[in-house]
Amino acid sequence: MSDEAGTVGPRVIVVGVDGSDTSLRAGAYAWGLARRSGARLVLVHVTPVGTLGALTPGGAMVMREAGAQVDAELRSQLERIAAEARDVRYEFRTREGDPYTVLSRVADEERADAVVVGASQQAGHRLVGSVAVRLVRAGRWPVTVVP
């Protein structure tokens, strides 16, 4: 956390976005936090590499194409937002892999002061643990989970 220029808050915020309603709300929350604190915002879109898709002919290609489409839509939305609100320094990154692993790696590489994610909307995550729960349990950064 920084106290430069009389402000206290994060210097680097990492936020996971995947196009879901909760991740878009998390992105908006993180954008506002970055604007208010003068932090740099790192938006990360993780395209999961599914083993199920690899079992079907062309499944992996379909999954990559779907991920690329979501990525393009997110970039387009971000460019519109950034054109109106130029006061936030941001980066948009796309990675393939497990969302928890990728977000953890980026947060560590960037020395993030905060991580923001949307709450999972999948019922099964209550049993096996969502990305948000796993990030909180890691205990390496303050994590905000946006509903």
Side-chain angles (χ1 to χ4, degrees):
M1 302 275 176
S2 170
D3 62 3
E4 296 174 20
T7 62
V8 175
R11 291 179 304 238
V12 179
I13 302 167
V14 171
V15 59
V17 291
D18 63 7
S20 67
D21 289 342
T22 59
S23 83
L24 295 177
R25 285 193 292 270
Y29 176 87
W31 190 278
L33 182 60
R35 183 180 47 77
R36 288 186 300 278
S37 65
R40 182 170 56 91
L41 183 61
V42 180
L43 297 107
V44 183
H45 173 231
V46 181
T47 304
V49 179
T51 55
L52 186 59
L55 296 176
T56 61
M61 185 185 326
V62 169
M63 290 180 71
R64 281 195 181 91
E65 288 173 359
Q69 183 177 357
V70 170
D71 186 71
E73 290 170 8
L74 288 170
R75 284 180 189 276
S76 177
Q77 288 177 357
L78 184 58
E79 288 171 7
R80 283 194 304 273
I81 293 166
E84 296 174 13
R86 294 186 179 103
D87 52 351
V88 173
R89 294 172 297 137
Y90 74 92
E91 299 172 34
F92 183 81
R93 298 183 187 174
T94 302
R95 301 282 192 276
E96 281 189 355
D98 169 63
Y100 165 77
T101 303
V102 171
L103 289 171
S104 296
R105 185 176 308 130
V106 171
D108 285 342
E109 289 170 358
E110 293 296 329
R111 296 188 173 151
D113 297 301
V115 176
V116 180
V117 292
S120 175
Q121 296 177 314
Q122 296 181 11
H125 284 170
R126 291 187 199 116
L127 300 174
V128 296
S130 68
V131 172
V133 169
R134 293 171 67 196
L135 289 167
V136 169
R137 285 184 181 157
R140 298 198 309 256
W141 334 263
V143 178
T144 301
V145 182
V146 178

